[in-house]
Amino acid sequence: MVYRITVVGAGYLGATHAACLAELGFEVLGMDVDATKVAALSEGRLPCYEPGLEPLLRKHIESGRLRFTTSYGEVADFGDVHFLCVGTPQRQDSFAADLSYLDAAVEGLAPHLNRTCLLVGKSTVPVGTADRLASRVVELAPAGELVEVAWNPEFLREGHGVADTLAPDRMVLGIRTERAERVLREIYAAVITAGAPVVVTDFSTAELVKSAANAFLTAKISFINAMAEVCEATGADVTQLAAALAHDPRIGGRFLHAGLGFGGGCLPKDLRAFIARVEELGVDAAVALLQDVDAINTQRRTRMIDLAREQCDKTFTGRRIGVLGAAFKPNSDDIRDSPALHVAAAIQRLGAQVTVYDPKAMDNARAQFPLLSYADSAVEAANGAHLVLHLTEWQEFRDMDPVVLSAVVAQKRMVDGRNALDPAIWRSAGWTYRALGRP
Ligand code: UGA
């Protein structure tokens, strides 16, 4: 059967999923309650920067395989399979996940479901959510038990969304019936044939795979950042330490990059939501481990501020600081929980004049941090600076010639928060180069 597919929630995850399913040959209807977003997407415009996604979106708006709407009724009429891709941010009042968008999507859609269909959750949720939503859907939907739920967590990385969706490193199918498994295998047939390993499991395991994957990644980053502190106390070099560890295939080199720590719209809030959930479940050993991972990460930002102050001869008052990077990572314009902007804003509050430049995230940064100054290039941000901070490792900054910056700065001092610049090149151009975890 050729399924007609809907994707509820047209944010970063939903827009990527919708465009990729159209690319796999399906007719897709994307849905969002935000009419402005729907209007932009319908014209082939993405509300965020994601390499490769806008051309795919345009291609399938033009091919007619992809449309967007704000109507739950239209979604219910159109789709055989409905993917739920709405956000689950951190709650304002606690570490827990805010499930209000997901609940609203189910409450909005289910009353229109009057025939056999499959609802597939992709959002990151606390374990137990899929089970709760499955009961709620049967209560609300006119088709009752003909509406089934499955959980199919998403593992894509910003900046690699299209590739990670079309060629994922694994596919986790949380299902309760053979029918749900069959439908999902048919939808992902091309991806599975191309080699993606499939794990078929129950709802709780599927939900936990996602939480555990992100928790493991954060633990790996915080582990190497803890080692960076040990390196600083001993004069060792954390980048060489990590390179040596990486030769052990049991450890591996990825996500072993020491520096300012992790940020973004996923890892920090997913770690905290997981802490809140395991606390509720009373699993003390896991709570303690995850809390340490979070605490080590937060301390990186403080450590960066301390190192910057030290390089400003112990005071920020009256100092000009050029900040390179605002996005939470390169190849993204996402500034959610960005370590770079956290540090920039804190240093400004402590008395420095801070000027920020980022290749893609300037509009978002200006909107959220209007009191910081902004420049149109790295050279302009560094103009007159007593200290330059490298906080997001864009290729443009890695390729920068220190001699060019030397001509505009007041003092040749660089603190590399991402351990991504070559100290030898900067030092030979006469700069004082400092980094977290290196002599
Ligand atoms: C993360 C996961 O990597 C994805 O697998 C997951 O699907 C996604 O969250 C999600 O839950 O939706 P993403 O938020 O795009 O993806 O970002 P990452 O590439 O994981 O980077 C996160 C942060 O960790 C960045 O601030 C980055 O600078 C930092 N990082 C990463 C390090 O500090 N060191 C490293 O070695 C690696």
Side-chain angles (χ1 to χ4, degrees), residues 326-327 332-335 341 358-366 394:
S332 168
D333 66 353
D334 195 342
I335 57 155
L341 283 172
D358 187 281
K360 291 285 177 201
M362 298 290 276
D363 290 346
N364 289 340
R366 271 200 189 95
W394 287 90

Side-chain angles (χ1 to χ4, degrees), residues 12-13 124 154-160 164 169-170 210 213-214 217 220-221 224-225 253-270 297 301 327-330 334 336-339 391-393 418:
Y12 174 76
L13 166 60
T124 302
E154 181 55 60
F155 301 98
L156 64 80
R157 298 159 299 164
E158 290 188 22
H160 305 267
D164 285 354
D169 47 22
R170 82 289 221 185
K210 176 61 193 253
N214 276 2
L217 294 172
K220 217 174 164 190
I221 298 170
I224 199 66
N225 281 332
R254 295 174 70 185
F255 272 69
L256 214 53
H257 209 95
L260 192 45
F262 57 84
C266 300
L267 294 188
K269 67 99 179 160
D270 286 351
N297 193 54
R301 301 177 187 192
F328 84 102
K329 69 172 186 181
D334 195 342
R336 286 176 294 169
D337 203 354
S338 165
L391 303 184
T392 312
E393 68 277 33
R418 292 296 178 182

Side-chain angles (χ1 to χ4, degrees), residues 236-421:
D237 183 327
V238 73
T239 62
Q240 290 175 10
L241 175 79
L245 290 178
H247 289 297
D248 183 336
R250 294 170 303 174
I251 298 175
R254 295 174 70 185
F255 272 69
L256 214 53
H257 209 95
L260 192 45
F262 57 84
C266 300
L267 294 188
K269 67 99 179 160
D270 286 351
L271 175 65
R272 290 179 170 182
F274 197 29
I275 292 172
R277 187 69 183 115
V278 293
E279 236 165 10
E280 269 172 21
L281 294 166
V283 189
D284 294 345
V287 174
L289 171 68
L290 300 172
Q291 278 174 339
D292 281 346
V293 170
D294 189 36
I296 291 168
N297 193 54
T298 310
Q299 283 155 16
R300 300 311 284 163
R301 301 177 187 192
T302 314
R303 176 76 194 101
M304 184 70 205
I305 295 164
D306 290 344
L307 183 54
R309 190 192 286 104
E310 186 190 303
Q311 288 303 303
C312 283
D313 305 317
K314 301 200 167 31
T315 177
F316 286 124
T317 311
R319 298 292 194 271
R320 295 175 67 97
I321 299 189
V323 167
L324 307 183
F328 84 102
K329 69 172 186 181
N331 300 318
S332 168
D333 66 353
D334 195 342
I335 57 155
R336 286 176 294 169
D337 203 354
S338 165
L341 283 172
H342 181 116
V343 167
I347 287 177
Q348 191 188 43
R349 278 196 300 275
L350 292 167
Q353 272 181 276
V354 179
T355 306
V356 179
Y357 166 70
D358 187 281
K360 291 285 177 201
M362 298 290 276
D363 290 346
N364 289 340
R366 271 200 189 95
Q368 204 177 318
F369 292 87
L371 299 180
L372 289 168
S373 297
Y374 294 91
D376 291 332
S377 67
V379 172
E380 202 184 304
N383 197 16
H386 300 98
L387 175 67
V388 179
L389 301 181
H390 175 235
L391 303 184
T392 312
E393 68 277 33
W394 287 90
Q395 192 60 41
E396 176 179 332
F397 301 147
R398 292 173 187 262
D399 294 342
M400 216 161 34
D401 182 352
V403 176
V404 175
L405 280 202
S406 299
V408 299
V409 293
Q411 288 182 162
K412 293 197 265 183
R413 292 186 185 176
M414 165 65 77
V415 177
D416 182 3
R418 292 296 178 182
N419 276 308
L421 305 176

